Amino acid sequence: MSAAGGRAASAPLVGGAGEPTMFELSAPGRRAAQLRATTVAARAIEEMIPAAHRRLDDLETADLAERDLVGHFTRLSARQYSVDLGAYPLGSCTMKYNPKVADEVAALSGLAHVHPAAPASLTQGWLELLVTLEERLCAITGMAAATLQPAAGAAGELTGLLLIRAYHRARGDERRRVLIPDSAHGTNPASVTLSGYEVTTVPSNERGLVDLVALEERLGPDVAGIMLTNPNTLGLFEEEIEQIAALVHGVGGLLYYDGANLNAILGRARPGDMGFDVVHMNLHKTFATPHGGGGPGAGPVAVGASLAAFLPGPRAVRAGDGFAWATPERSIGRVHGWHGNALVLARALAYIEIHGGEGLRAVAEHAVLNANWLRRRLADVLPAAYERPCMHECVLTASALKEATGVRALDVAKSLLDEGFHAPTVYFPLVVEEALMVEPTETESAETVEALAQALERIVARAHEDPAALHEAPRTTPVGRVDEARAARHLVTTEDAARRNGLR
Amino acid sequence: MSAAGGRAASAPLVGGAGEPTMFELSAPGRRAAQLRATTVAARAIEEMIPAAHRRLDDLETADLAERDLVGHFTRLSARQYSVDLGAYPLGSCTMKYNPKVADEVAALSGLAHVHPAAPASLTQGWLELLVTLEERLCAITGMAAATLQPAAGAAGELTGLLLIRAYHRARGDERRRVLIPDSAHGTNPASVTLSGYEVTTVPSNERGLVDLVALEERLGPDVAGIMLTNPNTLGLFEEEIEQIAALVHGVGGLLYYDGANLNAILGRARPGDMGFDVVHMNLHKTFATPHGGGGPGAGPVAVGASLAAFLPGPRAVRAGDGFAWATPERSIGRVHGWHGNALVLARALAYIEIHGGEGLRAVAEHAVLNANWLRRRLADVLPAAYERPCMHECVLTASALKEATGVRALDVAKSLLDEGFHAPTVYFPLVVEEALMVEPTETESAETVEALAQALERIVARAHEDPAALHEAPRTTPVGRVDEARAARHLVTTEDAARRNGLR
Amino acid sequence: MPTYLPHTPAEDEAMLAFLGMTSMDELFAHLPAAVRLAGGLDLPPGRSELDVLDDMSALAGRNAAATMTCFAGAGAYDHEIPPVVRALASRSEFVTAYTPYQPEVAQGVLQALFEYQTLVSRLSGLPIANASLYDGAAALVESLNLAAGAQGRSRIVLSSGVHPHWRAAARTFAAGTGHQIEESPLVEGVTQWPTAPGEGVAAVVVAYPNYLGYLEDLDAARALADASGALLIVAIDPVAAALVRSAASWGADVVIGEGQPFGTPLSFGGPYLGLFAVREDLVRRLPGRIVGETLDAAGRRAFVTTLRAREQDIRRERATSNVCTNQTLMAVTAAVQLGWLGSQGLREVAERCASGAHELFERALKIPGVAPYAPAPFVREFALRLDRPAREVLASMAEHGVLGGVAARSLVGEGDASLSPGGEDVVIVTVTERHRAPDLDAYEAALRAAVAR
Amino acid sequence: MPTYLPHTPAEDEAMLAFLGMTSMDELFAHLPAAVRLAGGLDLPPGRSELDVLDDMSALAGRNAAATMTCFAGAGAYDHEIPPVVRALASRSEFVTAYTPYQPEVAQGVLQALFEYQTLVSRLSGLPIANASLYDGAAALVESLNLAAGAQGRSRIVLSSGVHPHWRAAARTFAAGTGHQIEESPLVEGVTQWPTAPGEGVAAVVVAYPNYLGYLEDLDAARALADASGALLIVAIDPVAAALVRSAASWGADVVIGEGQPFGTPLSFGGPYLGLFAVREDLVRRLPGRIVGETLDAAGRRAFVTTLRAREQDIRRERATSNVCTNQTLMAVTAAVQLGWLGSQGLREVAERCASGAHELFERALKIPGVAPYAPAPFVREFALRLDRPAREVLASMAEHGVLGGVAARSLVGEGDASLSPGGEDVVIVTVTERHRAPDLDAYEAALRAAVAR
Ligand SMILES: Cc1ncc(COP(=O)(O)O)c(C=O)c1O
Ligand SMILES: Cc1ncc(COP(=O)(O)O)c(C=O)c1O
């Protein structure tokens, strides 16, 4: 017999059991779907599809009544942490509050129900929206033009690198290497490889910044460019950015700005003014479009004037009184199946229009204020890896704690879950031992940041008293600490595999 | 300092703390509201409102950022059981699955954004909807006409009783008493009193039905009528309904049908055919409009032709090609501020139109099937108070269990929470000792009903092994067993009272 | 045949077999043959929910009023409801929950109601608020019952300034309770109270502002109540309450009102939200549910419905109210909306309403054929006297896309003591914070055109 | 200035004071003066969210396409999304969660992804599916990278029947990876494969059905792959997959596709959902995330992202994919939509699409000036050859409220090997289960009028 669809035991509110999979809930013959009445005559499949192409078996998915479907996914949602429940101080991820108004924007039927291949004359509203967003993003970053196609930050990186490549190539200049600081996010080196360049790592200096000497050593005429985030992944502003720019430009290289940390500088500084040539933005970070449990995002790429001709196409552009599609003359081509994650773009535009310039600056100021306040507040509890003013996030280290108590950053993170906070990012960036990367974001109040500090304080105190307890955290969550190694060793990624493995 | 708005500890998912009140979260100067730009000039209050009428102090409500508002109410929602999470076998309440389509119906801007005093010419859609619903409800109950004004079942009862009163009065017939079986829902006697009649209680016989002899003894020319639900609150069909009707009508009394249990007989029997003169329906039960944590409901009242002239007004009626408002000539008057709980009515109509006659009959059949199956399944675990075929619900009794173990119906109910089910209705109807009134409803699957049975089985077994554990249930819920006596003894119903009492 | 049943035919069979049956008919075999429905219900066949949604959308499309600029008020107000309030109040845990009979798994609704009670208490100035009644009219009816019970009397002195529909409902239910309702007429828009009310008065009831929008001096009502040993019941507009003296400060014993302006759309009149607050010593007569704070077995804070002994399910025929299902979801919504507004936002909304209303009032008076109905002060709603029948004027304004107000006569019966003789020409106009300058311009133009016609 | 900040000015001050500062400027004092922005951003001033919502609604209103009957497909399909799917997929726990880095508090998303993977696996017939890629185009790009890596080769034989935009994206990214993409043209709507592909082919890629709607015999593609030691990559239409032979049964090693038809609205092209499934032995080359089942410390079932060592954050420059943020919410939505459809509903939808398409096809052919583009079989999408340029015909159909399809030329560049010379006259027409008889009638009438013009 299949599982009980109306049993709430898996909701953390009651019980404590696991939630059956939809396949365990499935019972043949059940269904939720009600299709509209139709007067289009049904045809036999034999009339339509030649035998050689007909499906051999009946496809079995999962058969649930609507009631059980609702129960299942509602209970799953209850087993999921989210920004709407509480703080999510995941450094590098910028999990800030996502205004609900954007949900209504994305649900507007005049935006959501538009076919992407409909002619421009029938989609003028969308084209205007895209053009406006592009203009806003250029104003915010100090760049000349942008593509909205990339679907996430990493896609933006690769797009940007291909733009750099096209730029050099157009000048007959085949270059080989891209420089990346050792603190960089993993997508940076991966994107470099995919763009056909080789990665050259630049070490950080003792201040957590790009080591200028080391940089210079690695520069040469075969360097296509450098990828930086500023503030960098340690939450520190690359104060020597002008020198860096001069050095890289000096050898004919370009500067790529990874905009994952743009939240820190909105209205206070612009990548374009720092000398960057290419900038990607993570709209799902800086402009508060919700992360959706891992996506969708959007990763527009803005460029200086000298790279505009290479942008992917088609791009929405102003054309007389209206708007049209146009492909830049030396375009690298398309980087998305259509025009990018359009509904995410619409959300971001709404966010920008609500804030305006002053509002965005206030966002950055308060992101930086919260992070610095927390860093100072925790100085005696979990020291920052670099004791200097940080920007919107700071990297703490549990290495002393580990030495003293055996409690690792991971244990601290898991313990924080029991305290009612999502864990910070751990073990990133790689250059810091036992890293805990904390980004409170500007939408958390002083009280919340203080509560987070107190929770960390309690955890550290407990680490000294009863370290074993922390190794066993979390204990108040729907499941306890998850055995990740086992998952990789005994790979079970579908219900069918689970059945084959005797797990059902 | 106020509480941390971004701390999720009160979500059952993590932590286990309590949730601060919105007043504890409040910090002066914070706000969520963004009002539209306006060019209407603001006027000084002094210009508009004479001093004698001006507010003396500033009204303080609660001041929260949108992020904290969202966190707070999202966490509160996570502390709340609901149909969408799991089964809710609350007898008498008919907590069935509420189709999501109805949420979209109620959100249609052409329904939701209509002012109730807008002229009929501008609200023809609404009038048609009301007329159609009235016609459907009459077809379902076998009555001639209906009012949609009553906002819930109890309001329907009082309306119906006032109709009975008006009917008698119009015949110069002042009657005094209304008969009610001892198993009746509390709203019935309360409504009788409010209608100016006196309650005469009719005992149930050993079969759980109206005792005909006792009924006859209580009948007389001063009896205005009898209120029955059929099936009654024991889930049993009043098989002698024809005799009852004949007896009551014989003395000139009318029959009132409490439709809370209409779910059991949809398409299988109609109150009108049983001899009832007045019928209220709980749309929030039978027609699956969601209960909203305690309301809103809707309690339309349908009547036979002889009472139609007394119905509340205005009523939407057909008028030529269109629809108009009309007040019945001898109307008892208005029973609602406007036209009733209109958006609830729209939901119910959608439910009825989706099901059609056959669908509604299937609803009743499966409601009765589930209940009888459960009753039989539990025969050796928790016996039914009356061992006979039940309708859509059945009343079990824990009195033997209590005698044997000291475990009461309440303990069983609380233990069920830990098993991942909402508790049944307990200690109602009053005529059954240690009553557990179970109504699985038709939207729960066989598997769910079986799981419920197994959970009760486990609980009863535990009652024999470790009764103390059951007295302490529930243990996996956000709060443990709540001290109701204390709440009444130390009355604290507002944040301000809590402050005055030193609780904050 | 669309349904929401999980049962497959095979399961039906197996379940029936467990009961020793082979058909659904047998489940109903014990129903007397005469009442068994043979032919099925006379309803159109079922249709998929998507088809039905189409139909309902088509019906919705036939409500022209939905898309007009709405200056109609009179107890139902077109306020802003922001996305965040919609999102929170529609969370399915709130929507699909039942009455919090099991507090251990209902802290969400219970705490929200506790917060709602606090907010209503602060708005009204009275210490105790219940967890909602059906609507403003129901609140009035319940308040009369409360007063009659508390004072052991049955005469009610009711200002005709109370909303006509509420008064009508009060009259309807008085047929059951036997209360004698005596209306005090409006003269020049304000109540003319009886000078010597006589014996046996349970309550004096007044609206502040009254349904024509006017603010009355409540000292007179309070004095009358004192003189007759009656309770003073005040019906408030909860938005105006942010600006005007609290009912409690005027000496109200009971405050009632319509809570729809807090987050509930116009909804063609329902579901709305009956506000109800009382003095501390009246708590045991409070109709409906009330949530109290207490502790759980482990000493943690918890909320629970309390003073249950008042309610119908326990007190039965001796209960003073029969209310069971109430308007909880609207109460939760009100708490969310008030949380969104905050102290400052609520005041700003009220001020915007008032500023707009006073501007529109002045602009309207400049139109020939338009005069104030009475000289009394108002907040955000006012009454005009027109040269032509109000309904006709409104109909022609509607042609310009403006719902120009509510014809006072459409609310009241002939001979109602709230309108001076005639009254066909009186229109009640409401301005909310949603109206902006172009809306006021449109109003003025439409009214000018309509009156001139 | 509207923001979502909780901070009050007093709190700002206190927090700054704790840092020994008196102004926000000091927080940025360490930024070199030259890069500090003096004048603020050149943006219009902020406006309330309600004002902005108004503006966005106005923009939305300028998309005439939104209200037309949509026969456009070509990789983006107008399927029914019922209220229940909208309600579940929009639960804020799913929407506002991050990547499930902490599995203990992310079982909701993780389990939904596990279910999604199962569904994609069953649809494709391959055992391993990932937890989503950006869209169909991204899935193609990643599949080429996977094949090149797995086979240690760089030549790709790509059918021109694969969606033109996906092919374009593949070409764009090949500039970085250095893959040599060789397109095999369509002749009469089906791929003409090279007879002797030669050395170094990593993958043979084909679409089933292809972008013109035609079903190709995949034996030829499989044979070619075998002959060249390449992987066979098949791009599927996941709705058609309910009716046609599974890609796996044709011998696909990798299946890719666009998952938008499962619960995601047309959305002007995104966010969509890249489907990706592989043979068991390719799992360690899988791009993106994959969720596995495991146990928690107490031995309870739990889900977690697994094989993380493949991913960019660990493997860095040696990673085979850079994907990080993916399309999880769309994957969760697809699981909900497929749960709603059920096995039977999915088949019914596919059958309705096919029945409607075949009927419309026949009706279209009766119109003078309309001919089939090719004689090959199709499922729910087909290509017509018109007497006049397709774009003009579509424009005039639009005047009748019908979005009559997609002009094939608007998808492909000049000289694309998927259209026989010319091709300005080719229109791709799609029918979904949302189309009913009157819609087909409207189509026929609009097309007849347009072609005749
Ligand atoms: C610094 C940095 N760069 C790049 C990325 C990649 O962005 P996305 O996940 O949108 O692909 C991230 C994402 O976490 C990041 O933190
Ligand atoms: C048998 C019965 N009658 C009447 C009522 C009262 O209906 P309402 O709560 O809608 O006022 C109920 C409600 O539970 C009931 O079960």
Side-chain angles (χ1 to χ4, degrees), chain D residues 189-255:
Chain D
V190 298
T191 315
Q192 189 171 57
W193 297 110
T195 39
E199 295 294 283
V201 176
V204 172
V205 192
V206 64
Y208 186 71
N210 67 29
Y211 90 97
L212 295 170
Y214 300 121
L215 290 168
E216 306 195 22
D217 181 354
L218 299 197
D219 283 338
R222 179 68 259 177
L224 179 66
D226 285 339
S228 29
L231 299 185
L232 176 62
I233 299 170
V234 180
I236 62 167
D237 167 349
V239 169
L243 300 182
V244 302
R245 269 185 68 181
S246 78
S249 78
W250 287 105
D253 301 297
V254 181
V255 169

Side-chain angles (χ1 to χ4, degrees), chain C residues 188-220:
Chain C
E188 297 257 296
V190 298
T191 316
Q192 187 170 59
W193 298 108
T195 38
E199 295 294 285
V201 176
V204 172
V205 192
V206 65
Y208 185 71
N210 68 29
Y211 90 97
L212 296 170
Y214 300 121
L215 290 168
E216 306 195 22
D217 181 353
L218 298 197
D219 284 338

Side-chain angles (χ1 to χ4, degrees), chain A residues 19-24 31 33 36-37 39-40 43 48 52-55 59-63 70 72 76-77 79-84 88 90 93 95 99 110 112-115 122-123 125-126 128 136 154-155 158 184 186-187 189 191 193-196 239 242 264 268-269 284 290-296 332-334 336-339 341-343 346 353-354 356 358-359 366 370 373 376 414 422-423 442-444 447 477-478 480-483 486-488 492-496 504, chain D residues 1-2 4-7 11-12 15 18-19 24-25 28 30 32 34-35 37 43-44 46-47 49 56 59 62-66 72-74 76 80 84 91-100 102 104-109 111 114-115 117-118 122-123 127 134-135 165 169 172-173 176-177 208 216 241-245 266-271 291-297 300-301 304 306 312 316-317 322 325-329 339-340 342-344 348 352 354-355 358-359 362 436-437:
Chain A
E19 172 66 13
T21 65
M22 65 193 289
F23 309 99
E24 291 175 298
R31 69 182 285 169
R36 280 200 171 81
T39 45
V40 176
R43 298 187 173 212
M48 303 187 286
H53 288 288
R54 262 175 251 148
R55 196 163 176 101
L59 177 62
E60 197 201 315
T61 54
D63 299 306
V70 167
H72 178 60
L76 283 186
S77 78
R79 294 164 75 82
Q80 178 62 48
Y81 198 93
S82 63
V83 172
D84 278 10
Y88 227 123
L90 265 183
C93 303
M95 292 297 288
H113 298 136
V114 180
H115 194 283
L122 305 178
T123 56
W126 257 119
E128 179 172 350
R136 300 285 186 268
L158 184 46
T187 49
S191 298
T193 302
L194 286 167
S195 71
E239 297 172 17
E242 296 162 277
R268 281 285 178 176
H284 44 303
H291 282 74
I332 59 167
R334 203 175 243 301
H336 187 269
W338 297 101
H339 320 302
N341 280 347
L343 288 180
E353 299 300 79
I354 291 165
E358 274 187 66
H366 289 86
N370 273 356
W373 191 91
R376 259 304 245 289
K414 298 293 182 195
H422 196 276
E442 73 281 2
T443 58
E444 297 304 343
E447 290 86 345
T477 46
R481 207 177 286 195
V482 169
D483 188 345
R486 183 193 172 90
V492 174
T493 69
T494 64
E495 186 78 2
D496 303 301
R504 300 283 184 279
Chain D
M1 178 190 75
Y4 297 90
L5 301 171
H7 303 67
E11 286 169 336
D12 283 356
M15 292 182 83
F18 179 76
L19 298 172
M24 292 287 186
D25 287 345
F28 298 86
H30 62 297
V35 310
L37 190 66
L43 295 178
R47 270 151 43 256
E49 55 175 34
M56 302 297 277
L59 280 180
R62 292 205 278 283
N63 292 317
E80 208 67 79
V84 67
R91 285 195 58 84
S92 71
E93 292 88 339
F94 295 135
V95 174
T96 75
Y98 195 67
T99 305
Q102 298 293 338
E104 297 83 2
V105 293
Q107 289 296 301
V109 163
Q111 182 169 335
F114 179 87
E115 296 173 1
Q117 290 170 181
T118 303
R122 291 188 183 175
L123 269 167
Y134 305 135
D135 65 358
H165 290 178
T172 303
F173 290 106
T177 53
Y208 186 71
E216 306 195 22
L243 300 182
V244 302
R245 269 185 68 181
L266 288 169
S267 315
F268 205 49
V291 173
E293 180 171 324
T294 183
L295 301 174
D296 79 350
R300 289 173 294 194
R301 181 161 88 190
V304 67
T306 191
Q312 42 69 29
R316 301 182 70 84
E317 60 264 30
N322 69 341
T325 292
N326 59 15
Q327 308 285 119
T328 297
L329 189 61
W340 177 72
S343 314
Q344 206 187 327
E348 283 171 19
R352 283 185 176 208
S355 297
H358 284 79
E359 172 162 341
E362 286 170 13
R436 293 187 283 185

Side-chain angles (χ1 to χ4, degrees), chain C residues 363-381:
Chain C
R363 287 164 71 164
L365 295 193
K366 297 206 182 101
I367 299 172
V370 178
Y373 176 70
F378 62 89
V379 185
R380 49 103 145 233
E381 188 156 42

Side-chain angles (χ1 to χ4, degrees), chain B residues 19-24 31 33 36-37 39-40 43 48 52-55 58-63 70 72 76-77 79-84 88 90 93 95 99 110 112-116 122-123 125-126 128 136 154 158 184 186-187 189 191 193-196 239 242 264 268-269 284 290-296 332-334 336-339 341-343 346 353-354 356 358-359 366 370 373 376 414 422-423 442 444 447 477-478 480-483 486-488 492-496 504, chain C residues 1-2 4-7 11-12 15 18-19 24-25 28 30 32 34-35 37 43-44 46-47 49 56 59 62-66 72-74 76 80 84 91-100 102 104-109 111 114-115 117-118 122-123 135 165 169 172-173 176-177 208 216 241-245 265-271 291-297 300-301 304 306 312 316-317 322 325-329 339-340 342-344 347-348 352 354-355 359 362 436-437:
Chain B
E19 171 67 12
T21 65
M22 64 194 287
F23 310 100
E24 290 174 299
R31 69 182 286 168
R36 280 200 171 83
T39 43
V40 176
R43 300 190 171 208
M48 303 187 286
H53 290 288
R54 262 175 251 147
R55 198 164 174 102
D58 270 353
L59 178 61
E60 196 201 316
T61 55
D63 300 304
V70 167
H72 178 60
L76 283 185
S77 78
R79 294 164 74 82
Q80 178 61 48
Y81 198 94
S82 64
V83 172
D84 278 10
Y88 227 123
L90 264 184
C93 303
M95 291 298 287
H113 298 137
V114 180
H115 194 282
L122 305 177
T123 57
W126 256 119
E128 180 172 350
R136 299 286 186 266
L158 183 46
T187 49
S191 299
T193 301
L194 286 168
S195 72
E239 298 173 17
E242 295 163 278
R268 281 285 179 177
H284 43 303
H291 282 74
I332 60 167
R334 208 173 240 300
H336 187 269
W338 297 101
H339 320 303
N341 279 347
L343 288 179
E353 299 300 79
I354 290 166
E358 274 187 65
H366 289 86
N370 273 357
W373 191 91
R376 257 306 243 289
K414 297 294 181 194
H422 196 275
E442 72 282 1
E444 296 304 342
E447 289 86 347
T477 45
R481 207 175 288 193
V482 170
D483 188 344
R486 183 192 173 90
V492 175
T493 70
T494 64
E495 186 78 1
D496 303 300
R504 299 284 184 281
Chain C
M1 178 190 77
Y4 297 89
L5 302 171
H7 304 68
E11 286 169 336
D12 282 356
M15 292 182 85
F18 179 76
L19 297 171
M24 292 286 186
D25 286 346
F28 298 86
H30 63 296
V35 310
L37 189 66
L43 294 178
R47 272 151 42 254
E49 55 176 35
M56 302 296 278
L59 280 180
R62 292 204 279 284
N63 292 317
E80 208 67 79
V84 66
R91 284 194 59 85
S92 72
E93 292 88 339
F94 295 136
V95 174
T96 76
Y98 195 67
T99 305
Q102 299 293 338
E104 296 84 1
V105 292
Q107 289 297 302
V109 163
Q111 182 169 335
F114 178 86
E115 295 173 1
Q117 290 170 183
T118 303
R122 291 188 183 175
L123 269 167
D135 64 0
H165 290 178
T172 304
F173 290 106
T177 53
Y208 185 71
E216 306 195 22
L243 300 183
V244 302
R245 268 186 68 180
L266 288 169
S267 314
F268 205 48
V291 172
E293 179 171 324
T294 183
L295 302 175
D296 79 349
R300 289 173 292 194
R301 182 162 88 189
V304 66
T306 190
Q312 41 70 28
R316 300 182 71 83
E317 61 265 31
N322 69 340
T325 293
N326 60 16
Q327 309 284 119
T328 298
L329 189 60
W340 177 71
S343 314
Q344 207 187 328
R347 196 163 36 242
E348 282 171 18
R352 283 185 176 208
S355 298
E359 172 162 341
E362 285 169 15
R436 293 188 282 184

Side-chain angles (χ1 to χ4, degrees), chain B residues 69-132:
Chain B
L69 184 75
V70 167
H72 178 60
F73 282 103
T74 305
R75 291 190 299 269
L76 283 185
S77 78
R79 294 164 74 82
Q80 178 61 48
Y81 198 94
S82 64
V83 172
D84 278 10
L85 277 178
Y88 227 123
L90 264 184
S92 206
C93 303
T94 310
M95 291 298 287
K96 57 166 89 173
Y97 171 64
N98 311 120
K100 297 292 164 205
V101 66
D103 294 345
E104 295 204 1
V105 168
L108 285 169
S109 113
L111 296 182
H113 298 137
V114 180
H115 194 282
S121 58
L122 305 177
T123 57
Q124 286 289 297
W126 256 119
L127 272 75
E128 180 172 350
L129 191 157
L130 298 180
V131 167
T132 309

Side-chain angles (χ1 to χ4, degrees), chain A residues 91-94 151-157 183-188 229 231-233 258-261 280-285 291 294 296-299 393 428 437, chain D residues 98-99 101 134 289 312 322-326:
Chain A
S92 205
C93 303
T94 312
E157 292 171 23
S183 64
H185 192 260
T187 49
N188 290 185
T229 101
N232 66 21
T233 58
D258 174 340
N261 294 336
H280 91 248
M281 286 147 280
N282 304 64
L283 302 191
H284 44 303
K285 300 177 196 271
H291 282 74
E393 61 195 359
F428 177 74
M437 188 182 195
Chain D
Y98 195 67
T99 305
Y101 286 150
Y134 305 135
R289 297 194 192 99
Q312 42 69 29
N322 69 341
V323 68
C324 178
T325 292
N326 59 15

